[in-house]
Amino acid sequence: MTISKTSENSPSKGLDKILEKFLQIRKQTSSKFILLEINTGYIMVALAKFSNGALNISRAQKVNLPSESIDRYVPSDPSAMGQLLEDIIQEENLNTLNTAVVLSQDSVYTKLVEIPNSISRDEAYKYLSDPSSPIQLPIPIKQTDFDLTPTSIITSKEGKEYRKYLVTALPQKSMNSLISTIKGIGLDLCRVEVGHTCLLRLIAKHINKLQENQYIIYLELLSECTHICISDKIGPILVDRLAAIRDYPSPEDIDNQQEVQDKSQSQGKSNKSVPNNQNDYLPVSRMDLQILLREVSTRINKLSKEFGLLGTLSIFMSGRNSIHPKLSEIISKSLNLPVFSISPANSLCVGDINYDPAQISEQSFGHLIGLGLGLIDSEELFNKETDFNSLDIIDNYIPEKIVSFGAKNRSGLDQFNSNKNNLKKEKVALPNKVSKNVVESKSREQDYLQKEVKEKKLEILKSSSLPPLPKETKGVEIDNGLPPLPKETKGVEIDNGLPPLPKETKGVEIDNGLPPSPKETKVVGNLNTGNANQDDIGKQKTTKKVLKAEKGADPPALEQPDVIFTRQNEEEKLIEKKNDPTDKIDSEFTSNPETKEEFRFDSSFLDLDK
């Protein structure tokens, strides 16, 4: 039984091997290409074929992927991604080994560098790869796979001319992951390109018409961002990423929402959160585009400020969000530039494209179509007659007045804001506009006059006979020939050759050589007033100075405010002061016998607090 089974199966095994070898030869000799686009969240696969000088695309498939399967716009697991691609190729019968891949422009690093204009493009690669090259990139150039694209920008430094080249660098780690994915399933990786180069091929005939100082802005409006690429007739000169706008309903979104509604209805639930795109759509306005318009205007002004360029611009758009109604008109009126919305399927040298419009929109084919056009000879593509296909423009708007950009002319929102500010200043009479040289000369003249005035002031101060004003000093003594002012002292006695002032005492008797003052006494009984009249008695009561009366003694006179001493008391005072050493000092301040005038000692100038 075993022998019979092997004899029955041996012819089929031999036939399968023959068919497999024939299929392999067919794949190796096929001129078709597998077009592969890798992006965040999905991949697109299609088959490209050339016939009658036109590109034909068929069997297009879009497969959604989990977010963890893509890392930096390349497969995170090459083996798993390779297995998925192999299943799609077998299911769609893509019988070819030739493969071309397009990556998002966010996966690469782009920068304009200066390379001497005297060297060729091949020598420019060596110049950039040289470790001693003055060009610096954020990542080592040896760790990248890079490409150089020459531009029309030529600068001069120190008598030498330099040409600007656009460097497009992809990390080798990302390239190795891509090669492992393609080579792992037996395919040949023939071409790897970036999104912005593929999109420029869609407008090849418009680029071919550009003259000197004429440029094109290409905007790809996607859900996550807006890609901008500014190009002249030679190639791109600026690549950047801008803000996104509101999404336009696409077949992919409608299909996904229908699946959600069908699933909710099968579970007996109503999902009111899913909107109806056809009925709930709101057209975009200038307010929705405000951020995008400002960023586009900033990039335009960058060309004139950094590179010294000036000329005219035109805008071309594609992508899923480029088909908003009246979008071209809004952008054109805001920036005063002509705007065109293109159809990638109707571009130059594009033939038939077969796809399911219920699953994929036409605007999603921009990268794959541009990738397929890159397989055609560039001279044949750009030298093709421009009337070959005129259906690539699906919407356009050209303003009445087109604004140019440059050092003397500004475009976009900057010019709009400047006009707005000028309207506010119309009431003020402004002087006529003067050139920059005149303004600089006037400023230099004013500086010179101010300097001359300062020098004359210094000469006058130096020649003046008056002493200079003292500067403000803190804690520094200045010798000005005058005795120093007494310093503020608290609780410190100063010997100035004068007798000390009597201190304030309470309840302590001081012997000053004078008889003691009479104390206040209360009146007990009757006072012997003698011949004192009633007015004198009234004065005694008001002054509250009552003296003890002795019998037979005359009452003291109350008219004098001070105490009056008798002759006997004065004589006793003089006798006591004969041996007093301070008698000379005291006698100087007593009454003068010649003038009989009373002298009193004024101690106000000894007040230390003043």
Side-chain angles (χ1 to χ4, degrees):
M1 296 294 295
T2 304
I3 297 173
S4 62
K5 284 184 180 181
T6 54
S7 61
E8 290 177 1
N9 296 332
S10 57
S12 61
K13 285 184 177 181
L15 183 61
D16 291 341
K17 290 181 180 180
I18 294 172
L19 292 175
E20 186 178 353
K21 288 182 180 181
F22 178 76
L23 184 60
Q24 190 69 20
I25 294 172
R26 182 183 176 184
K27 289 181 179 181
Q28 293 175 356
T29 58
S30 176
S31 61
K32 299 179 182 179
F33 272 81
I34 297 175
L35 305 179
L36 174 63
E37 178 185 0
I38 301 177
N39 212 322
T40 55
Y42 70 91
I43 61 172
M44 287 187 66
V45 183
L47 184 66
K49 178 183 177 181
F50 298 94
S51 60
N52 299 325
L55 172 66
N56 301 305
I57 295 178
S58 61
R59 304 175 188 180
Q61 285 285 338
K62 182 177 181 180
V63 180
N64 295 323
L65 301 174
S67 58
E68 61 271 9
S69 60
I70 302 295
D71 182 21
R72 296 181 182 180
Y73 301 93
V74 294
S76 58
D77 188 355
S79 59
M81 183 63 68
Q83 185 63 41
L84 176 63
L85 288 176
E86 188 175 11
D87 294 341
I88 296 174
I89 291 171
Q90 291 180 359
E91 181 180 355
E92 297 295 332
N93 293 323
L94 306 180
N95 298 322
T96 183
L97 300 178
N98 303 323
T99 307
V101 181
V102 56
L103 300 175
S104 172
Q105 68 185 49
D106 294 328
S107 63
V108 298
Y109 172 78
T110 57
K111 182 182 179 181
L112 277 176
V113 297
E114 292 181 347
I115 296 178
N117 194 24
S118 58
I119 64 178
S120 62
R121 185 177 180 181
D122 294 336
E123 294 174 346
Y125 284 94
K126 297 180 182 179
Y127 179 83
L128 186 61
S129 303
D130 190 0
S132 61
S133 174
I135 300 174
Q136 295 182 357
L137 299 177
I139 54 177
I141 196 65
K142 290 186 176 181
Q143 298 181 8
T144 63
D145 292 321
F146 67 93
D147 187 26
L148 287 175
T149 305
T151 66
S152 60
I153 304 175
I154 298 177
T155 59
S156 59
K157 290 183 180 180
E158 298 178 357
K160 296 182 180 180
E161 288 188 350
Y162 293 86
R163 180 181 291 274
K164 294 280 188 180
Y165 282 79
L166 182 66
V167 179
T168 305
L170 177 68
Q172 289 184 352
K173 184 178 179 181
S174 300
M175 180 60 73
N176 294 336
S177 176
L178 185 61
I179 293 174
S180 300
T181 302
I182 302 302
K183 294 288 186 181
I185 56 178
L187 299 178
D188 297 333
L189 184 60
C190 302
R191 196 177 188 90
V192 178
E193 291 195 5
V194 189
H196 65 268
T197 58
C198 297
L199 294 176
L200 290 179
R201 294 193 185 100
L202 301 178
I203 55 174
K205 71 175 184 178
H206 302 283
I207 295 177
N208 192 34
K209 293 180 180 180
L210 292 177
Q211 303 296 327
E212 187 177 1
N213 295 332
Q214 290 183 347
Y215 304 90
I216 282 180
I217 299 177
Y218 196 103
L219 297 177
E220 184 187 18
L221 292 92
L222 305 176
S223 297
E224 60 274 7
C225 67
T226 298
H227 290 143
I228 182 174
C229 178
I230 303 179
S231 174
D232 58 3
K233 189 173 182 178
I234 298 178
I237 58 178
L238 186 142
V239 179
D240 207 346
R241 176 188 174 110
L242 307 180
I245 65 173
R246 180 151 45 89
D247 285 344
Y248 183 80
S250 66
E252 296 93 333
D253 297 335
I254 296 174
D255 186 56
N256 293 335
Q257 292 173 5
Q258 188 64 35
E259 291 180 0
V260 174
Q261 289 179 354
D262 294 342
K263 185 177 180 180
S264 61
Q265 289 177 2
S266 63
Q267 295 177 357
K269 300 178 181 180
S270 61
N271 191 353
K272 297 182 180 181
S273 62
V274 179
N276 187 352
N277 289 286
Q278 296 179 354
N279 299 330
D280 298 340
Y281 170 73
L282 295 175
V284 294
S285 62
R286 182 173 177 176
M287 185 64 66
D288 299 325
L289 306 175
Q290 186 174 3
I291 298 176
L292 177 62
L293 294 174
R294 187 171 298 278
E295 291 184 350
V296 171
S297 179
T298 303
R299 301 310 185 277
I300 294 174
N301 294 328
K302 183 179 180 181
L303 295 178
S304 59
K305 291 180 180 179
E306 293 188 5
F307 310 134
L309 302 180
L310 53 92
T312 58
L313 287 163
S314 55
I315 299 177
F316 289 80
M317 301 185 305
S318 69
R320 61 166 294 176
N321 293 330
S322 65
I323 53 180
H324 279 285
K326 296 185 178 181
L327 180 62
S328 301
E329 180 180 355
I330 296 173
I331 296 177
S332 179
K333 289 182 178 180
S334 301
L335 299 177
N336 292 326
L337 297 175
V339 180
F340 305 90
S341 179
I342 67 169
S343 169
N346 294 312
S347 298
L348 184 64
C349 295
V350 176
D352 297 332
I353 297 179
N354 298 323
Y355 64 95
D356 186 1
Q359 296 181 354
I360 305 173
S361 64
E362 178 192 351
Q363 296 294 331
S364 301
F365 275 98
H367 288 179
L368 288 182
I369 295 174
L371 179 63
L373 293 175
L375 303 174
I376 305 176
D377 188 5
S378 59
E379 293 183 359
E380 180 182 355
L381 177 63
F382 283 91
N383 294 331
K384 202 83 173 179
E385 294 182 0
T386 57
D387 57 352
F388 178 82
N389 194 338
S390 59
L391 301 176
D392 57 336
I393 304 299
I394 58 177
D395 187 22
N396 69 304
Y397 190 90
I398 300 176
E400 297 179 358
K401 183 179 179 181
I402 299 176
V403 178
S404 59
F405 77 99
K408 297 182 180 180
N409 298 300
R410 295 188 301 169
S411 63
L413 293 177
D414 286 350
Q415 181 164 358
F416 173 76
N417 293 332
S418 64
N419 295 335
K420 204 166 151 191
N421 295 331
N422 291 334
L423 291 176
K424 296 180 180 180
K425 298 178 180 179
E426 281 183 356
K427 298 180 180 180
V428 182
L430 298 176
N432 294 330
K433 188 176 181 182
V434 295
S435 63
K436 184 179 180 182
N437 296 330
V438 174
V439 175
E440 291 179 353
S441 62
K442 288 185 177 180
S443 62
R444 286 196 298 268
E445 184 178 356
Q446 290 177 358
D447 295 340
Y448 175 76
L449 292 175
Q450 291 178 359
K451 184 178 179 181
E452 189 176 0
V453 170
K454 289 183 179 178
E455 291 178 354
K456 288 184 178 180
K457 286 183 179 180
L458 291 175
E459 291 178 359
I460 293 172
L461 290 175
K462 290 180 180 179
S463 61
S464 177
S465 60
L466 296 176
L469 295 174
K471 298 181 180 179
E472 183 180 358
T473 57
K474 294 184 180 180
V476 180
E477 296 183 358
I478 301 174
D479 187 8
N480 51 8
L482 298 175
L485 297 174
K487 298 181 180 179
E488 181 180 358
T489 57
K490 295 183 179 179
V492 179
E493 296 182 357
I494 301 174
D495 186 8
N496 52 8
L498 297 175
L501 295 174
K503 298 181 180 179
E504 182 180 359
T505 57
K506 295 182 179 180
V508 180
E509 294 183 358
I510 302 173
D511 186 8
N512 51 9
L514 298 176
S517 60
K519 298 181 180 180
E520 181 180 359
T521 57
K522 294 182 180 181
V523 179
V524 180
N526 294 325
L527 291 173
N528 186 8
T529 58
N531 297 325
N533 54 18
Q534 295 297 327
D535 295 334
D536 295 338
I537 296 172
K539 292 180 180 179
Q540 287 180 353
K541 293 181 180 180
T542 56
T543 55
K544 293 185 179 181
K545 294 182 179 180
V546 180
L547 301 177
K548 220 174 202 185
E550 296 181 358
K551 292 181 179 182
D554 294 333
L558 300 176
E559 296 176 357
Q560 298 179 358
D562 297 332
V563 179
I564 299 175
F565 301 98
T566 60
R567 173 68 62 180
Q568 183 181 358
N569 292 336
E570 290 182 7
E571 291 176 356
E572 290 175 0
K573 175 183 174 184
L574 294 175
I575 294 170
E576 290 176 357
K577 288 187 176 181
K578 284 182 180 180
N579 298 325
D580 191 358
T582 61
D583 184 43
K584 294 181 180 180
I585 300 174
D586 293 339
S587 64
E588 292 178 0
F589 299 101
T590 56
S591 60
N592 192 345
E594 296 180 358
T595 59
K596 297 183 180 180
E597 293 179 359
E598 186 177 1
F599 291 90
R600 293 188 179 183
F601 176 68
D602 186 9
S603 62
S604 61
F605 72 93
L606 290 178
D607 191 359
L608 300 180
D609 293 334
K610 292 184 180 180

